[in-house]
């Protein structure tokens, strides 16, 4: 039996892009690999992975390139990197990882991945929630790609601010209504804008709006501040949508 060749790679993204979504159907070997992946996760009491058409579109592009060159790689000469491929296909993510393999069949490839620690770790990673899979064939050999991600939810600036303001409110701070000042300050990266001068301001980027950065939490814990406000602004990065840009204004 022909041995299955495999590679695993991980890329954590802190980047931004909003291209149109891709539409990819799941069937055949890709469906077998998808069901096998979620079967393994269910057996470990892990949440199943959601199918991502955008990740599948990126995976198909890469699988076809590998099959055409009859070689395995996470990035072939002249090809965009993993994060760029996913972003160009329309994927939005906080983190991204990939398994690639070649072998005689989908079940054989899955078993090889499960017997390889880095590939198994990708399949059973509780921090990942989405997957796109594609298979291309060359001379009877399957070239398979699994792209996994922790998907990023698209939130409006107002939604982002409401989440952070709720965290500030939970620390006993009164939320002010100087939204314009806060957003203009966020766009500046440093300093503040507007007619209401804060006692302290923190600018930060984060994939997790539910957690305040340590510097901000420490300032609040001093008890010096009675009011606050969060302002959100668009990310200035190029790929992914992984980080939210926030400015928090504190007032004594």
């Amino acid at each position: 039996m022909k041995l299955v060749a495999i590679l695993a790679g991980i890329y954590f993204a802190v980047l931004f892009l909003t291209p149109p979504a891709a539409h990819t159907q799941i069937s055949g070997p890709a469906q077998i690999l998808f069901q096998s992946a979620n079967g393994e996760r269910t057996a470990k009491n892990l949440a199943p992975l959601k199918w991502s058409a955008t990740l599948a579109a990126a995976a198909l592009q890469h699988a076809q390139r590998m099959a055409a060159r009859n070689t395995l790689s996470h990035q072939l000469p002249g090809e965009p990197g993993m994060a760029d491929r996913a972003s160009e296909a329309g994927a939005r993510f906080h983190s991204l990882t990939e398994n690639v393999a070649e072998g005689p069949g989908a079940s054989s490839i899955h078993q090889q991945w499960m017997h390889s620690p880095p590939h198994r770790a990708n399949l059973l990673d509780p921090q990942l929630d989405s997957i796109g899979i594609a298979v291309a064939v060359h001379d009877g050999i399957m070239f398979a790609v699994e792209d996994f991600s922790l998907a990023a939810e698209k939130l409006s600036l107002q939604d982002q601010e409401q989440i952070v303001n709720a965290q500030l409110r939970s620390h006993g701070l009164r939320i002010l209504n100087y939204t314009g000042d806060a957003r203009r300050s966020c766009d500046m990266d440093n300093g503040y804008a507007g007619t209401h001068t804060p006692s302290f301001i923190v600018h930060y980027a984060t994939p997790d709006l539910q957690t305040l950065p340590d510097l901000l939490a420490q300032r609040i814990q001093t008890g010096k501040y009675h009011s606050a406000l969060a302002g959100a602004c668009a990310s200035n990065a190029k790929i992914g949508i992984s980080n939210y840009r926030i400015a928090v204004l504190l007032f004594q």
Side-chain angles (χ1 to χ4, degrees):
M1 177 182 293
K2 179 180 175 64
L3 293 177
V4 179
I6 51 179
L7 291 174
I10 299 176
Y11 187 102
F12 291 97
V14 288
L15 308 167
F16 178 89
L17 186 70
T18 56
H23 301 281
T24 304
Q25 298 296 321
I26 178 172
S27 61
Q31 186 173 25
I32 293 172
L33 291 170
F34 179 55
Q35 292 172 340
S36 297
N38 277 335
E40 302 288 356
R41 292 176 70 89
T42 299
K44 297 293 184 181
N45 295 317
L46 297 171
L49 296 166
K50 296 174 292 185
W51 179 258
S52 167
T54 52
L55 289 180
L60 179 60
Q61 181 186 73
H62 187 52
Q64 290 173 337
R65 283 190 171 117
M66 291 194 302
R69 298 195 182 202
N70 195 27
T71 189
L72 287 180
S73 175
H74 288 294
Q75 184 176 6
L76 294 163
E79 181 186 30
M82 185 198 318
D84 294 290
R85 296 193 301 267
S87 295
E88 289 170 2
R92 312 162 71 88
F93 49 87
H94 293 308
S95 63
L96 185 69
T97 184
E98 181 176 81
N99 287 349
V100 300
E102 63 171 293
S107 296
S108 176
I109 288 173
H110 175 74
Q111 289 304 314
Q112 288 290 328
W113 275 334
M114 286 303 296
H115 286 89
S116 166
H119 301 85
R120 179 186 176 91
N122 288 342
L123 284 158
L124 299 180
D125 189 338
Q127 300 303 315
L128 300 173
D129 62 14
S130 302
I131 190 172
I133 306 170
V135 175
V137 179
H138 176 81
D139 288 341
I141 299 300
M142 290 184 178
F143 288 79
V145 179
E146 290 182 329
D147 283 345
F148 308 82
S149 78
L150 174 60
E153 182 181 4
K154 183 177 180 180
L155 299 173
S156 68
L157 297 183
Q158 183 178 8
D159 290 339
Q160 296 171 42
E161 291 160 355
Q162 288 177 347
I163 292 171
V164 179
N165 283 334
Q167 296 299 313
L168 297 171
R169 191 178 290 109
S170 72
H171 285 79
L173 295 169
R174 181 168 63 93
I175 303 304
L176 301 174
N177 62 357
Y178 312 144
T179 302
D181 287 3
R183 288 185 181 176
R184 287 191 293 272
S185 297
C186 181
D187 278 326
M188 293 175 62
D189 288 331
N190 291 290
Y192 66 90
T195 58
H196 305 89
T197 304
S199 304
F200 188 77
I201 183 168
V202 175
H203 294 261
Y204 65 98
T206 179
D208 179 13
L209 293 171
Q210 300 288 348
T211 303
L212 300 178
D214 289 343
L215 175 61
L216 178 56
Q218 291 167 6
R219 280 282 178 165
I220 293 171
Q221 288 169 5
T222 65
K224 296 179 180 179
Y225 307 97
H226 57 77
S227 304
L229 180 65
C233 53
S235 172
N236 55 8
K238 296 180 180 178
I239 54 177
I241 278 197
S242 49
N243 271 18
Y244 304 102
R245 288 174 65 204
I246 302 293
V248 171
L249 286 62
L250 299 178
F251 296 85
Q252 293 183 343

